[in-house]
Amino acid sequence: MIKPFNIVRDLENKRFTTGSDSIVLTQFDNGIYIEFEVLLSGKTVTWNERQHSARVTFKNGSDIVVEKEPCELLQDSGKWRYEITDKLTGKSGNVKGIIDVMDGGVRVASSQFEITILEHLATS
């Protein structure tokens, strides 16, 4: 199994970011996961499943590639997981990703990251 990309963001300290900030994919990559770990003041938060959710939006320039796609919550770790599909990798270029943490349908936090999608080069 391919190890997921891990993006860590602290909602109270914007300078604290770790993980795969520069993700490079090809147009044929799918089935890979991006895991989002969202912290408050450097500490992992136990999210209330009934109230909190996470959504991710991907933009390629001014075009929205994937809009407000829900992320799956991993029960024990408090991380959210998004599976990369051809909806994201269908068009090459630089893609800005935005992770939004929602509380009862209201956005309470947001953070950005970037993905580069390379055009597949066929060899003969």
Side-chain angles (χ1 to χ4, degrees):
M1 178 175 166
I2 299 171
K3 187 175 179 181
F5 293 100
N6 188 35
I7 296 177
V8 180
R9 292 289 184 272
D10 193 310
L11 301 180
E12 293 180 343
N13 182 356
K14 298 292 185 184
R15 292 174 290 174
F16 181 81
T17 59
T18 63
S20 305
D21 291 333
S22 297
I23 298 173
V24 179
L25 302 171
T26 71
Q27 288 186 307
F28 286 124
D29 285 331
N30 58 43
I32 302 168
Y33 288 96
I34 302 174
E35 286 185 354
F36 300 97
E37 183 176 1
V38 182
L39 309 175
L40 288 171
S41 296
K43 296 183 175 146
T44 303
V45 180
T46 303
W47 299 101
N48 180 342
E49 280 184 58
R50 285 172 243 147
Q51 290 185 354
H52 291 92
S53 61
R55 294 184 181 166
V56 65
T57 303
F58 295 102
K59 295 182 180 181
N60 189 341
S62 61
D63 297 332
I64 294 176
V65 180
V66 176
E67 183 174 17
K68 294 185 175 140
E69 186 80 16
C71 299
E72 170 189 340
L73 179 64
L74 299 178
Q75 300 293 331
D76 297 330
S77 65
K79 296 180 183 180
W80 280 283
R81 177 179 269 197
Y82 176 77
E83 182 180 356
I84 295 169
T85 67
D86 57 3
K87 286 197 294 187
L88 173 61
T89 60
K91 184 177 178 185
S92 61
N94 289 329
V95 176
K96 182 188 339 180
I98 303 164
I99 176 88
D100 292 317
V101 177
M102 313 293 286
D103 181 1
V106 176
R107 182 173 67 184
V108 294
S110 185
S111 187
Q112 298 181 8
F113 59 98
E114 188 161 308
I115 296 177
T116 301
I117 300 171
L118 302 176
E119 188 172 346
H120 179 71
L121 302 175
T123 57
S124 55

